[in-house]
Amino acid sequence: MILSIPGTWHLRQGLIALVLLFGFSFAQGQDCECLNCPQSLPPPGPDSCQTLEFVLNVKGAENDDLAHPFQGVCGLKVHFQHNYVWSLSMCLVSPGGDTIEFIGPNLTSGFASSAFSSWDIAFVQSSILPNPDPGAFPKWTNNQLWSAFQSYTGTYHPYKGKLEDFDSGPVNGQWKILVKNCTELEKGTFINFSILFCDDSGIDCSCQAFAGNLSQNQSQTYCQGDPDLDLDLEPIFFGPEPDTSQYGYLLILSTGGVIQDYLSDVDLTGSPPGQYEICGMSYAKKDLDSIPSPNGLLSVNDLKEVLFSEEPPFCGDITNKCLSIRIAAPPAPVVIDTLLCSGQCFPLGDSLYCKTTTVTDTFVTKTGCDSIVTLHLTIPPVGVVQVTDTICSGDFFIVGNNFYSKTGLYQDTLTSPFTGCDSIVHLNLYVVKLDAKAVVQGVLGCTMPTVGISGISSTYNMSNPKIQWIPGPGGNVVAGQQTLFALVNQPGSYTLELSTLLANGKSCSDSVQVNVQKDPKVPDLAGPAVISYCAGSTVNLNQKGFSDLNALGGQITFHHGHPLNMTTQIGPVVDPSTVDTVIVFYQVGDCRDTLQFTWMEVPAPVATIKTSVNICNSDGGGAFNTLINFDTLILSANVVGSWSNTDAAPVGGVFPILDFNGVPGPASYTFTWTSINATPPCTNITRTIEIFVENCACPSVATLPPGPFCTTDTDIDLNDYILTAESGIWTLPLGPPGSNPAVVQMDVGRV
């Protein structure tokens, strides 16, 4: 997987051409290496062939479709040694099952020995001209002279088919090379193989986990409790074992395809009847905590799919073949109550019973379980016989040639075919009926840590049957195990069993199995990692987007520390300058999640401008200034702003320089400065300035307020009310005593 040039057939052709030009090498990038190489090819023995399997796991391919025009197998490299190569064949098999035979055919006899020769060769697409070794055909065949003591390094077309035949199915998965060795006395070594994909984007072959095969993989049936259910399972690698310092091995126990547990060894001696499957899994020890936990829904197929997904959660490999175990329940003891006439016999096993007796015998069923049969044989004297008995539903009571399986009173006349004796039998038969039913009342989850299983709808026609809830692997009954209503807190299978022991020693029973599931969703609190605030302001944390990605409906609270309870709860409106640490706490039932964020203080916008300035409305022939550069009115600011003509003064020019020539005066006009780049979450600020316009060319008096005004002050300094900048003289035509033209002293009056 060195080169990846996505493109059409022409791009693939160009890729192979580059490989031929610079040499076929798999050294760039990270090699996808054979997991169980190198491995010797032992002689198979007389009149036989031996096929060995070599594997390579491909993971993470972003273009996972071999049918895509930019994807495919652009090259294959193999490295092997064999003393008689003409008897060897090799096939490449894709994860989807497509196969080509690139080395062949298997010949029963051929050329001279190829001892001490090795082949480190490559196979290219049919559109590329191969570069075979000197004297060899460009299309591989065993039926040519391969010499001894040689190192072959050429490129070839496959013996059968072509690399372009890999045009369907996934890239991710397990690729195999099947090596068929038919040499009776000679052997070789398969050293390695690599695959060149036309688009290797995302492919990661760093995972060297290899599960091999289990020492047992044939379906087995055992009787419940059989000591042999303490299974001795070991992996067989058919080659080098993964480095045990980096890789571990677990056994996956599943029922119905759903994973129940990961085990280092499997002991099913205490497991209830059912169908179990055991697969081997090799995993990177560093990823142990990343292996998905069983949750009542996760299946072995789900786990295999995520292992070959674009971003697998852990490095691992699962055996292709798994061990299927069927545990059969031992049959209930069989009680045969039968009545015969004198002279009649009852066969049981290899024996024949002809007298009144009770005998017990044991038989082995097809499942390997012991079946215990008890015979109650009655052969009374000829006459009237009263018989009372109780049997289980599904069983029957035999009187002569009649079979009775329902509660009732029966009368039969029995005549012996041997003696001709008759007897009248009065049978009082009672049939015990047990019908177990169960309903799961919910799904385990954050808001429901326990779930009820109701067996209330079960029916029975006798008093006080024995009630028992039996949990499967991983299950746990927390209450009501011997009642018709049980509480459980773990997912898995649960069996309700009703039973009763009859006076004759036989047990009647009925059972039903249900599955309790667990909702895999848990709180997943999300929110900003950094919250900005304007210096000197408060923050409403409810408005910052904290939420549960799984929307489980819990409550979010904010705390300044631990413990996370009412004593530490704050907000939601907080002053960041007083709280260094805020813990966001989310709780749904018994599940919870937390996160923390970092405060970022944003400086508040600050600006100082002059409060007022005076300006002339006429230049007086160059004697006076009528221009104002408004940028000079800003004394200090940490933000940029813009000016606006608040009172719509009829000025000339454009900001920042305005011309007040011709503006009516004396008068006061307001102008506003507004910041435009305050950093959020801070908001922009405004400042105003009063521009006092004077008739400088023809001085006039501008006062504030203009015209007459009233005041309660007894001492008035008229200079305080002058807006005109030019110098002038006050005159006081009429004023109170003690006044002068600038200062008026009075009690009440008009000046």
Side-chain angles (χ1 to χ4, degrees):
M1 116 182 159
I2 352 190
L3 297 174
S4 175
I5 306 178
T8 62
W9 176 86
H10 299 288
L11 287 175
R12 296 183 183 178
Q13 185 178 19
L15 173 63
I16 299 301
L18 286 173
V19 172
L20 290 173
L21 182 61
F22 298 105
F24 202 104
S25 169
F26 280 59
Q28 296 183 8
Q30 182 178 2
D31 289 349
C32 286
E33 296 185 351
C34 168
L35 294 176
N36 56 335
C37 297
Q39 187 177 159
S40 62
L41 304 173
D47 303 322
S48 65
C49 294
Q50 184 180 56
T51 300
L52 294 181
E53 180 180 284
F54 300 90
V55 299
L56 180 155
N57 285 340
V58 176
K59 299 181 180 181
E62 296 174 2
N63 187 347
D64 190 31
D65 187 3
L66 287 170
H68 193 280
F70 296 166
Q71 187 55 284
V73 176
C74 276
L76 168 66
K77 185 175 182 181
V78 293
H79 189 187
F80 64 94
Q81 178 273 327
H82 201 274
N83 292 346
Y84 283 92
V85 72
W86 43 263
S87 69
L88 200 64
S89 68
M90 297 186 190
C91 295
L92 177 64
V93 184
S94 74
D98 288 345
T99 304
I100 66 165
E101 183 178 358
F102 59 92
I103 286 183
N106 286 110
L107 301 175
T108 56
S109 62
F111 298 91
S113 169
S114 57
F116 302 104
S117 288
S118 67
W119 286 261
D120 192 359
I121 58 176
F123 292 85
V124 297
Q125 292 189 344
S126 61
S127 59
I128 304 303
L129 184 66
N131 183 20
D133 291 284
F137 299 127
K139 181 175 182 179
W140 178 278
T141 177
N142 290 345
N143 194 13
Q144 61 182 314
L145 179 61
W146 297 102
S147 301
F149 300 97
Q150 299 295 318
S151 292
Y152 294 101
T153 58
T155 59
Y156 298 86
H157 285 154
Y159 164 63
K160 286 184 178 180
K162 53 185 181 295
L163 297 185
E164 293 94 320
D165 292 341
F166 292 105
D167 57 2
S168 65
V171 175
N172 290 324
Q174 191 171 84
W175 292 75
K176 305 175 185 177
I177 284 187
L178 304 180
V179 179
K180 185 177 180 181
N181 184 22
C182 293
T183 306
E184 178 180 342
L185 300 177
E186 295 299 333
K187 63 179 182 179
T189 301
F190 190 86
I191 300 171
N192 206 349
F193 79 96
S194 302
I195 301 173
L196 175 67
F197 293 101
C198 300
D199 181 357
D200 68 354
S201 302
I203 293 180
D204 180 9
C205 297
S206 61
C207 178
Q208 296 295 306
F210 178 53
N213 292 318
L214 293 178
S215 55
Q216 301 179 40
N217 55 29
Q218 299 297 320
S219 298
Q220 303 286 338
T221 299
Y222 296 89
C223 189
Q224 184 180 8
D226 191 328
D228 289 342
L229 283 170
D230 187 1
L231 303 172
D232 183 14
L233 299 176
E234 296 291 338
I236 299 175
F237 294 103
F238 303 107
E241 178 180 356
D243 187 350
T244 55
S245 67
Q246 300 183 43
Y247 294 90
Y249 205 91
L250 290 173
L251 299 170
I252 305 173
L253 176 64
S254 63
T255 59
V258 177
I259 297 175
Q260 303 297 325
D261 207 350
Y262 303 109
L263 305 168
S264 56
D265 55 71
V266 179
D267 184 357
L268 299 179
T269 54
S271 298
Q275 193 74 33
Y276 299 83
E277 188 177 61
I278 302 165
C279 305
M281 181 174 72
S282 173
Y283 67 95
K285 292 182 177 179
K286 65 180 179 62
D287 293 341
L288 179 61
D289 293 338
S290 299
I291 300 175
S293 300
N295 58 10
L297 298 174
L298 180 67
S299 69
V300 176
N301 286 336
D302 293 338
L303 196 60
K304 288 182 177 180
E305 287 180 7
V306 301
L307 279 177
F308 289 105
S309 64
E310 187 174 322
E311 295 184 3
F314 70 100
C315 167
D317 183 48
I318 299 175
T319 54
N320 290 326
K321 295 182 179 180
C322 300
L323 172 62
S324 179
I325 298 291
R326 175 175 174 254
I327 300 179
V334 177
V335 178
I336 301 175
D337 291 297
T338 189
L339 182 65
L340 300 177
C341 288
S342 177
Q344 292 181 317
C345 299
F346 191 94
L348 182 64
D350 296 330
S351 301
L352 199 63
Y353 299 95
C354 304
K355 294 181 180 181
T356 297
T357 185
T358 296
V359 63
T360 300
D361 204 349
T362 301
F363 302 90
V364 179
T365 67
K366 293 180 179 180
T367 60
C369 297
D370 290 340
S371 175
I372 301 174
V373 179
T374 299
L375 171 65
H376 296 294
L377 176 62
T378 301
I379 304 180
V382 177
V384 178
V385 178
Q386 302 289 340
V387 179
T388 300
D389 201 3
T390 301
I391 63 174
C392 300
S393 177
D395 292 344
F396 47 82
F397 191 97
I398 305 173
V399 180
N401 294 323
N402 294 323
F403 293 74
Y404 299 105
S405 59
K406 296 181 179 180
T407 297
L409 299 174
Y410 302 94
Q411 177 178 307
D412 285 279
T413 298
L414 300 182
T415 300
S416 171
F418 303 103
T419 64
C421 65
D422 292 336
S423 60
I424 298 175
V425 178
H426 295 281
L427 172 63
N428 184 0
L429 183 64
Y430 185 77
V431 179
V432 173
K433 295 183 178 180
L434 300 173
D435 186 9
K437 297 180 180 179
V439 177
V440 179
Q441 298 181 331
V443 177
L444 291 170
C446 293
T447 58
M448 190 174 287
T450 60
V451 165
I453 312 177
S454 175
I456 301 299
S457 59
S458 300
T459 59
Y460 42 86
N461 63 353
M462 39 78 62
S463 60
N464 300 322
K466 181 181 178 183
I467 302 171
Q468 185 74 21
W469 290 95
I470 304 171
N476 183 48
V477 179
V478 296
Q481 190 157 15
Q482 295 181 341
T483 70
L484 286 175
F485 187 84
L487 284 176
V488 303
N489 63 357
Q490 294 296 329
S493 61
Y494 293 84
T495 301
L496 171 61
E497 182 179 82
L498 304 179
S499 63
T500 186
L501 184 64
L502 304 182
N504 58 17
K506 181 177 180 180
S507 176
C508 301
S509 66
D510 189 45
S511 64
V512 63
Q513 186 181 81
V514 294
N515 286 316
V516 175
Q517 295 184 340
K518 184 175 183 179
D519 189 344
K521 290 183 179 179
V522 295
D524 189 4
L525 186 59
V530 177
I531 294 181
S532 301
Y533 69 94
C534 193
S537 66
T538 60
V539 176
N540 188 337
L541 295 176
N542 278 345
Q543 300 174 353
K544 294 305 176 181
F546 294 103
S547 65
D548 175 16
L549 296 181
N550 286 327
L552 298 180
Q555 182 180 7
I556 295 177
T557 56
F558 307 97
H559 302 262
H560 62 72
H562 292 277
L564 302 177
N565 54 28
M566 293 293 294
T567 62
T568 60
Q569 186 172 343
I570 60 175
V573 178
V574 299
D575 182 354
S577 65
T578 63
V579 182
D580 292 333
T581 300
V582 177
I583 301 173
V584 185
F585 177 56
Y586 178 71
Q587 184 167 9
V588 183
D590 289 346
C591 303
R592 58 186 61 191
D593 195 10
T594 62
L595 58 77
Q596 288 184 237
F597 59 84
T598 301
W599 291 114
M600 177 180 287
E601 183 182 83
V602 176
V606 177
T608 302
I609 67 174
K610 293 181 179 181
T611 58
S612 65
V613 295
N614 294 69
I615 192 65
C616 294
N617 63 358
S618 173
D619 61 3
F624 306 109
N625 177 40
T626 63
L627 301 178
I628 296 179
N629 185 340
F630 277 74
D631 284 348
T632 64
L633 305 181
I634 303 171
L635 301 179
S636 63
N638 63 354
V639 287
V640 177
S642 64
W643 287 95
S644 63
N645 189 343
T646 310
D647 290 341
V651 296
V654 294
F655 288 113
I657 299 175
L658 298 183
D659 188 353
F660 285 79
N661 188 28
V663 175
S668 171
Y669 297 93
T670 301
F671 288 80
T672 302
W673 178 87
T674 303
S675 65
I676 60 174
N677 68 333
T679 303
C682 296
T683 58
N684 286 306
I685 60 174
T686 61
R687 298 289 186 267
T688 60
I689 185 170
E690 293 295 324
I691 305 297
F692 298 113
V693 178
E694 304 178 35
N695 294 324
C696 299
C698 180
S700 60
V701 177
T703 61
L704 184 68
F709 65 91
C710 295
T711 179
T712 57
D713 293 336
T714 59
D715 216 5
I716 301 172
D717 188 345
L718 296 180
N719 288 326
D720 294 337
Y721 293 86
I722 299 174
L723 302 181
T724 304
E726 291 83 356
S727 59
I729 300 173
W730 285 97
T731 60
L732 187 62
L734 179 64
S739 301
N740 60 52
V743 178
V744 178
Q745 295 179 347
M746 60 184 178
D747 293 328
V748 178
R750 180 181 177 90
V751 179

